[in-house]
């Protein structure tokens, strides 16, 4: 779970850093991806694992459309509130449209390819969760490699740091924004499809992930890609461990407590920058 | 020198004309607000007006810290909730008047504000935003499990059959609730107005632009941020107290959530951040629109209303990103009188630069 | 002047509980059909044969919807709107106990009857309200019913021993209330509550909760969950290959369409309570299977429709007796409600309110979901139509 | 009388020693030039004096008190003001408001501060731009605004970090004039500039930094002949 | 051959008109200087040429193509490089990364990039020393050198310098000007905006004088140097 948190949060972190906004509709992109996966399953009996690429494409397209139709319109204005405002509205729009199209029923994929659990000694590990974790880590690794090790990744960072200067380098910043949304769509799409394996789907499920992502992004350090991974894992682990140790009803409290303590001593987050 | 004199004269003339508009505008608004419950006798409209005022207070609370000031809060629900809970718990458990509860709520909120602010104020605004958002969920988790404050069940306040200012309850009479919330509204707006014109007001606006530069001019950034934080938290807490006493019920899920915070943010940004009238104007448009859309086409279970609402928000964001007041400012020629009144007197620039 | 009698309802029609609101909405439409049109084939369901309200010369009812989005503030606001703008004569609702709290308080202030068809928190009737009437049972009644049934079945099943109970509840108002009551009444029925876990219903993983259950290994798992989390639990239990000796839901989870679709066989053999069950009454099949299935292919008739229909009937009955929609007279008439069990679709013994406004004839039916979601009534004895099957382990299925 | 004295200032950034045992002192009413190659630690020294950086060791004595432990906002009220090499105007505030932020420090009310600010703005010849927001000024005026703001805090000592860069010769002349006027009013000034035409005529004394060390000091005429300085900084012209 | 031509361009910042009607041209291989006082609109002009600022009217032609409606990155691909006012380095990237990004248009050619970086290091040795330092911690002059280096990375056809000597130590200023000349001699067209008017005019083949958004004077460097108006307004003679 932690790895999935990390994946979702990395996408968020990237977009937020790049656009310098707080993105309220990130969770809803996860929802869209989950519905895509569900739709493919219910119409073509396509397994969620198989539908990962489609989910990526869909969430990327939605991200790009968001950028083209809305964000780039709003970017022109001097105030970044407009951007946040629009992502907030978009979140509502997406969720309610999904409710309209799919009804508010809880959906889930039946009999997916990975199901059940494997036992190692006395411990039963849920296969979908395991798959989710491995898949998320792989996807994360791919993104990481792209951002840190390729010229395009460098250009992406450059755009984030000084957009005008990036233009003067001959970087097509508009493309970079689209690239950012694509990577974010990649993260979200993968996460959504992996989640569908074991999690239920309904129009408002994104909110849960959105909230956790915000916590993870802050914990990891705003704008730090590596931080998101570590923080995501920490949140997942702390949540599970404290569930065992001090009782499940309180499991979120240690998560937030960790978060607050980190904030006290490393206010910039684990790997945050200024 | 000569030039200068002429300009000064010009200025005074402009101001005095602005003053006339201000006075007239202010009077009109005052008369309208005061007579609202008598013009609109429908209790539903009054109810909307009351809620609008409540959110407007919250919006203003957010505006002080995040509009004028530089820390973008995404979790003002924290203070709203603390205000609501303080008065509710004290009233039901110990019969303490909600008015005292309100003050205690302000104190509690202020202390939390200081505690949250201590590590995060040092950092960039985004951190504060994320921290407050995280803290909202923390408080939600804590209150859900805290028996003494009613855990997930929330706090039920007794429905008293007779009106009493002391108990903050008015049997079946919206008018009194309205005047109370209006009173609180006016009070909070006066406070913010004062602040915006004071030394503190100048300092926070400067800090918003550049903290290091402000520091080099002798501004104690931390102290000023903490003070603004306290003011902001207290105001949000007042809105929370009103909420609790008006609903007579508080529960963690509905106060400590991001919807509450977002209502503040949206009211203020829609109206125009860092303006006095902004949050009120934003709330006047934002809150009733949401309710009316739901009232008209909601209830189908098909979420049409929500779709429309989301759409409206996006349109507003695209076409009026600088807020309603920003739009007025852009068209300042037509509205010179009105916008004079809306702007702070000292800012005479026509350039809107509301980047955060 | 108006040619209809308006009735306001408040449900979560959007937001993450919209599904439930949706089900209630279907119930409302059905109720309108029953009251407003002649359906002699549905007799003796009250008001089915007649069109409109007899005492008001066949005046028809019109249901006006309010969307609470499951938040108390919106609920309050919608109640306000329905009463003052729409001029409804009474309110029905509001599923969530928290929303019912604020909405009913608005009604109380205006002196408009509030008929509670779905919220089950006992607190609601303890507030001394005069216009609050709960047709539905409350959790105290339901939990007692469940435990009575559990005791009976436990005694009958000599193959296993049932002693310990573990309570698993979502931590909002409803779940917490159920858990508290369960802990209170368990000893009375000879059960020992060994542990209680509460969790937020929006949780994304329940592994630690499940581990804890496995560690305690109770005989009976007593669970109060919403739909999504209930499904999550069942899946996780399956992954961990764990089964208790008896699996009990504090409400009607297996009746939920999504639940059945999603879990399929994994959801069988659980015991739950409902206030709706296929009664032997003659109108049940025509309404629930023929009519409902035709009009709402997406839904399955369940207690939600049942309780809203009954609530509308109760209200119309009161209007009919009062001969007017004057709120005070209506209240008066409501207090004297006395509807027989066979006139309503819910399997209650009837409807009669005590001085707090609680329907004293409300009760639950305890049911087991057996193979293919065949629902077998276990309790009360006069409705019993099958035997309890001990909860099989995953390997045995 | 000595107004500011820096004793053995050390400041390190990772492996780079930006200030390495720097000793300088400024008398009341004196104008001191501070020159040195790029990266020799001039700005760093300003940051140490104004408190933006905590020094690693050493002592900063201002009017008889050691101030190295005070945070920056506590130093300004004592009478230390500075400008930033990379300008930092309050972009959304007008020139007047920008300056008022400075003048509020020693004023009781915003009104009084406004008056003082207007005076300073006029003194620096920026009245024309009084309603411009900080973002809309050109670089040179942004720099002048920095001076105005700093001056508004009524300092004993003013540290100018390349406040006159980016001006053409004619404008430089004008700027030199008002810097001299400021100095004539009794304010001590430390001046960092790379333009010798500015530093040399203005300064009473000059310090030269290289690699964080003071390599030369004295009268402008002496320093500009110092072979060390020519080698490291001025170049053979 | 005419490489760049501005045809009565007008540029506005909302209501402020920064350039009224500016026309000028630069021939292939020329070194053209633009001088003007503060706020004349020099930087705005450069930004308009490379497509960062949009025109409200007029046209810009480069190498026979109309570029005035092109996106900024396209102009770079066509061979226009820009050393912007205020350096505009990528603050959280190292010097090395900044330089690599300068060669973005040639990102496929790693060998070329390495060669080019070596050249830049040779020109500005300090950059080699600080290759892995984050740009935001460079001193003012170091940053300026890095910015120039970055602009050289893409072997442009025309390079525009916006006050390259600003904040740079005198001996390096000399080197920078030498370098500009060298660059120009290699056949690269240069458009130079400089406040160091004397030096600029010395260097320039031709020069323009920009005053409050209008070109008021044009001529060869020596011609302008002799102009009374230039002497008075810009040389302070
Ligand atoms: N925050 C920092 N982290 C690391 N190194 C730094 C930092 N600030 C400055 N430096 C380094 O310290 C040295 C001194 O820098 P400083 O800015 O004081 O130079 P300067 O004398 O002002 O130069 P210039 O004339 O170019 O402005 C430089 O080598 C610079 O790279
Ligand atoms: N971002 C901006 N927004 C609004 N106005 C601007 C902006 N940038 C510059 N201006 C205005 O445009 C005009 C020209 O500015 P520009 O920076 O081009 O001048 P410049 O000749 O480069 O001056 P300097 O020598 O100071 O660099 C000035 O009046 C300035 O106030
Ligand atoms: C699941 C339901 C029985 C919940 C219940 N109606 C409530 O009080 O919220
Ligand atoms: Mg420097
Ligand atoms: Mg310039």
């Amino acid at each position: 779970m932690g790895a999935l948190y990390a994946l979702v949060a990395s996408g968020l972190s990237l977009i937020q850093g790049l656009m310098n906004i707080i993105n309220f509709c990130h969770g809803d992109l996860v929802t869209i991806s989950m519905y895509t996966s569900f739709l493919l399953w219910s119409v073509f009996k396509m397994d969620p694992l198989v539908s990962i690429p489609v989910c990526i494409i869909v969430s990327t397209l939605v991200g790009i459309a968001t950028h083209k139709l809305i964000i780039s319109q709003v970017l022109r204005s001097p105030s970044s509130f407009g951007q946040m405002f629009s992502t907030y509205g978009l979140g509502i729009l997406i969720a309610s449209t999904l409710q309209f199209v799919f009804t508010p029923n809880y959906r889930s994929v039946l009999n997916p390819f990975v199901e059940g659990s494997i036992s190692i000694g006395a411990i039963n590990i849920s296969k979908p969760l395991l798959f989710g974790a491995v898949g998320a880590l792989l996807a994360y690794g791919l993104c990481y490699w792209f951002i840190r090790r390729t010229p395009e990744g460098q250009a992406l960072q450059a755009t984030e740091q000084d957009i005008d200067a990036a233009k003067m380098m001959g970087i097509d910043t508009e493309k970079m924004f689209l690239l950012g949304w694509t990577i974010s769509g990649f993260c979200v799409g993968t996460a959504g499809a992996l989640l569908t394996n074991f999690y239920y789907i309904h129009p408002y499920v994104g909110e849960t992930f959105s909230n956790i992502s915000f916590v993870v992004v802050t914990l990891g350090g705003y704008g730090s890609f590596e931080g998101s991974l570590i923080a995501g894992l920490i949140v997942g682990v702390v949540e599970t461990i404290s569930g065992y140790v001090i009782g499940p009803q309180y499991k979120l409290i240690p998560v937030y407590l960790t978060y607050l303590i980190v904030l006290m001593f490393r206010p910039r987050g684990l790997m945050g920058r200024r | 020198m000569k030039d200068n004199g002429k300009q000064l004269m010009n200025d005074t003339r402009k101001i005095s004309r602005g003053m006339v508009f201000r006075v007239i505008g202010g009077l009109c608004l005052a008369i309208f607000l005061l007579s609202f419950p008598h013009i609109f006798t429908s209790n539903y409209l009054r109810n909307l007006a009351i809620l609008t005022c409540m959110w407007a207070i919250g919006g203003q609370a957010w505006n002080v810290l995040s509009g004028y000031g530089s820390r973008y809060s995404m979790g003002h629900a924290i203070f709203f909730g603390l205000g609501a809970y303080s008065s509710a718990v004290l009233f039901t458990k110990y019969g303490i008047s909600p008015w005292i509860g309100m003050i205690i709520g302000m104190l509690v909120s202020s202390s939390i504000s200081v505690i949250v602010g201590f590590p995060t104020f040092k950092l960039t605004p985004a951190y504060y935003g994320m921290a407050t958002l995280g803290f909202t969920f923390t408080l939600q988790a804590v209150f859900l499990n805290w028996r003494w404050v009613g855990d997930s069940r929330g706090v039920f306040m007794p429905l008293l059959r007779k009106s009493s200012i002391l108990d903050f309850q008015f049997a079946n009479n919206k008018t009194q609730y309205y005047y109370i919330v209006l009173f609180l509204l006016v009070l909070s707006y006066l406070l913010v107005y004062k602040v915006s014109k004071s030394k503190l007001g100048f300092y926070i606006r400067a800090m918003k632009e550049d903290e290091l530069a402000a520091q080099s001019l002798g501004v104690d950034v931390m102290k000023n941020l903490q003070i603004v934080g306290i003011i902001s938290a207290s105001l949000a807490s007042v809105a929370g107290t009103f909420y609790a006493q008006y609903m007579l019920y508080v529960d963690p899920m509905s106060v400590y959530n991001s919807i509450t915070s977002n209502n503040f943010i949206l009211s203020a940004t829609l109206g125009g951040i860092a303006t006095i009238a902004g949050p009120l104007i934003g709330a006047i448009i934002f809150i009733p629109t949401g309710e009316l859309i739901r009232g008209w086409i909601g209830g189908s279970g098909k979420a049409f209303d929500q779709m429309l609402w989301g759409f409206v928000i996006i349109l507003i964001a695209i076409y009026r990103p600088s807020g309603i007041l920003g739009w007025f400012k852009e068209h300042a020629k037509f509205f010179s009188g009105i916008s004079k009144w809306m702007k702070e007197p000292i800012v005479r620039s026509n350039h809107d630069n509301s980047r955060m | 002047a108006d040619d209809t009698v308006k009735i306001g309802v408040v449900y979560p029609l959007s937001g993450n509980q919209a599904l439930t609101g949706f089900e209630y909405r279907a119930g409302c439409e059905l109720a309108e059909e029953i009251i407003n049109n002649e359906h002699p084939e549905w007799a003796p369901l009250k008001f089915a044969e007649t069109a409109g309200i007899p005492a008001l010369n066949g005046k028809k009812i019109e249901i006006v919807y309010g969307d609470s989005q499951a938040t108390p503030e919106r609920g309050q606001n919608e109640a306000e709107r329905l009463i003052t703008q729409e001029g409804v004569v009474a309110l029905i609702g509001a599923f969530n106990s928290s929303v019912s709290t604020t909405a009913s308080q608005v009604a109380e202030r205006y002196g408009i009857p509030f008929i509670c068809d779905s919220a089950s928190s006992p607190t609601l009737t303890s507030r001394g309200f005069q216009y609050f009437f709960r047709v539905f049972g409350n959790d105290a009644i339901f939990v007692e019913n469940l435990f009575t049934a559990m005791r009976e079945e436990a005694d009958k099943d000599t193959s296993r021993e049932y002693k310990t109970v573990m309570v698993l509840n979502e931590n909002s108002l409803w779940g917490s209330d159920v858990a508290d009551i369960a802990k209170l009444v368990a000893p009375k029925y000879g059960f020992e509550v060994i542990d209680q876990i509460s969790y937020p219903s929006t949780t994304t993983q329940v592994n630690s909760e499940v581990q804890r259950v496995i560690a305690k290994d109770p005989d009976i798992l007593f669970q109060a969950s919403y739909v999504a989390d209930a499904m999550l639990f069942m899946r996780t239990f399956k992954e961990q290959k764990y089964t208790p000796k008896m699996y009990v839901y504090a409400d009607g989870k297996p009746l939920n369409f999504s639940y059945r679709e999603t879990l399929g066989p994994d959801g069988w053999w659980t015991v739950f309570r409902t206030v709706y069950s296929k009664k032997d009454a003659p109108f049940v099949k025509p309404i629930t299977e023929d009519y409902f299935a035709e009009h709402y292919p997406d839904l399955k008739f369940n207690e939600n429709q049942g309780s809203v229909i009954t609530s509308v009937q109760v209200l119309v009955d009161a209007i009919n007796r009062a001969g007017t929609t004057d709120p005070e007279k209506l209240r008066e008439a409501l207090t004297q409600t006395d509807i027989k069990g066979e006139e309503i679709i819910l399997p209650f013994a009837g409807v009669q309110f005590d001085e707090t406004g609680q329907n004293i004839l409300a009760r639950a039916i305890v049911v087991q979901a057996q193979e293919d979601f065949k629902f077998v009534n276990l309790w009360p004895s006069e409705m019993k139509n099958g035997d309890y099957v001990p909860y099989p382990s995953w390997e045995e299925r | 009388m000595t107004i500011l004295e820096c004793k053995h200032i050390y400041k390190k950034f990772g492996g780079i020693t930006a200030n390495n045992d720097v000793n300088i002192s400024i008398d009341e009413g004196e104008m001191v030039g501070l020159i040195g190659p790029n990266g020799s630690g001039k700005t760093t020294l300003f940051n140490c004096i104004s408190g933006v950086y905590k020094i690693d060791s050493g002592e900063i004595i201002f009017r008889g008190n050691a101030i190295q432990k005070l945070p920056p906002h506590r130093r300004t009220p004592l009478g230390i003001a500075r400008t930033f090499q990379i300008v930092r105007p309050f972009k959304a505030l007008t020139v007047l408001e920008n300056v008022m932020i400075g003048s509020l420090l020693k004023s009781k009310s915003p009104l009084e501060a406004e008056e003082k600010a207007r005076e300073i703005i006029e003194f620096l010849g920026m009245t024309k731009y009084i309603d411009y927001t900080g973002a809309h000024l050109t670089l040179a005026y942004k720099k002048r605004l920095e001076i105005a703001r700093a001056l508004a805090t009524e300092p004993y000592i003013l540290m100018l970090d390349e406040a006159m860069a980016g001006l053409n010769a004619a404008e430089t002349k004008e700027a030199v004039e008002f810097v001299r006027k400021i100095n004539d009013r009794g304010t001590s000034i430390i001046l960092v500039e790379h333009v010798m035409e500015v530093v040399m005529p203005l300064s009473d004394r000059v310090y030269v930094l290289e690699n964080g060390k003071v390599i030369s000091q004295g009268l402008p005429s002496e320093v500009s002949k110092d072979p060390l300085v020519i080698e490291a900084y001025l170049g053979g012209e | 051959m005419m490489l760049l031509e501005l045809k009565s361009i007008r540029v506005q910042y909302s209501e402020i008109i920064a350039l009224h009607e500016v026309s000028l041209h630069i021939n292939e291989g020329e070194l053209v200087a633009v001088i003007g006082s503060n706020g004349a609109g020099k930087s705005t002009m450069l930004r308009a040429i490379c497509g960062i600022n949009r025109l409200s009217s007029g046209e810009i032609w480069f190498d026979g193509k109309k570029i005035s409606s092109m996106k900024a990155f396209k102009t770079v691909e066509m061979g226009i490089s820009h050393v912007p006012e205020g350096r505009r380095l990528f603050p959280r990237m190292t010097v090395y990364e900044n330089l690599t990004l300068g060669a973005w248009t040639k990102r496929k050619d790693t060998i070329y990039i390495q060669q080019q970086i070596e050249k830049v290091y040779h020109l500005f040795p300090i950059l080699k020393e600080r290759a892995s330092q984050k740009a935001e911690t460079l001193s003012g002059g170091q940053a300026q050198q890095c910015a120039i280096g970055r602009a050289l990375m893409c072997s442009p056809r025309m390079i525009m310098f916006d006050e390259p000597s600003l904040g740079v130590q005198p001996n390096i200023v000399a080197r920078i000007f030498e370098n500009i000349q060298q660059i120009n001699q290699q056949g690269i067209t240069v458009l130079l905006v400089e406040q160091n008017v004397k030096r600029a005019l010395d260097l320039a083949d031709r020069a323009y004088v920009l005053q409050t958004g209008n070109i008021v004077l044009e001529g060869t460097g020596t011609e302008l140097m002799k102009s009374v108006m230039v002497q008075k307004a810009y040389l302070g003679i």
Side-chain angles (χ1 to χ4, degrees), chain B residues 42-44 47 55 147 152-153 156 161 172 174 177 246-248 254 291 294 299-301 306, chain C residues 13 25 67 69 73-74 76-78 80-81 84-85 105 108-110 128 171 173 176-177 180:
Chain B
S42 149
N43 267 354
Y44 176 61
N47 180 52
W55 290 115
R147 208 50 196 259
S152 56
R153 267 155 277 221
F156 291 83
R161 304 270 161 195
N172 204 15
K174 298 272 175 235
Y177 278 112
Y246 188 59
M247 297 288 161
L248 294 184
S254 41
E291 294 300 330
R294 204 175 60 233
S300 65
Q306 289 290 297
Chain C
L13 291 165
R25 195 188 158 95
D67 177 8
Q69 294 179 337
E73 186 210 339
R74 299 267 151 76
Q76 185 261 9
N77 214 356
E78 288 295 275
E80 196 80 50
R81 180 176 68 85
T84 63
Q85 292 302 99
Q105 178 195 303
E108 185 76 11
R109 283 233 166 102
Y110 284 108
N171 67 0
L173 181 60
S176 313
D177 272 343
D180 282 1

Side-chain angles (χ1 to χ4, degrees), chain C residues 95-97 118-121 136 174 225-226 251 253 273 303:
Chain C
F95 184 64
N96 312 74
S97 297
S118 45
S120 52
S121 167
F136 207 57
W174 171 64
S225 295
Y226 286 103
D251 68 342
K253 279 292 100 72
R273 73 109 181 102
E303 69 172 41

Side-chain angles (χ1 to χ4, degrees), chain D residues 99-116:
Chain D
V99 180
M100 278 178 68
I101 301 300
S103 61
L104 273 166
L105 182 67
K106 302 246 165 98
S107 310
K108 286 192 189 63
S109 71
L111 232 67
E112 188 189 334
E114 188 179 336
E115 220 154 86
K116 285 187 193 169

Side-chain angles (χ1 to χ4, degrees), chain C residues 262-281:
Chain C
T262 308
L263 290 179
D266 297 349
W268 297 349
W269 317 113
T270 49
V271 174
F272 60 95
R273 73 109 181 102
T274 177
V275 290
Y276 167 72
S277 159
K278 287 183 194 137
K279 293 207 298 188
D280 328 323

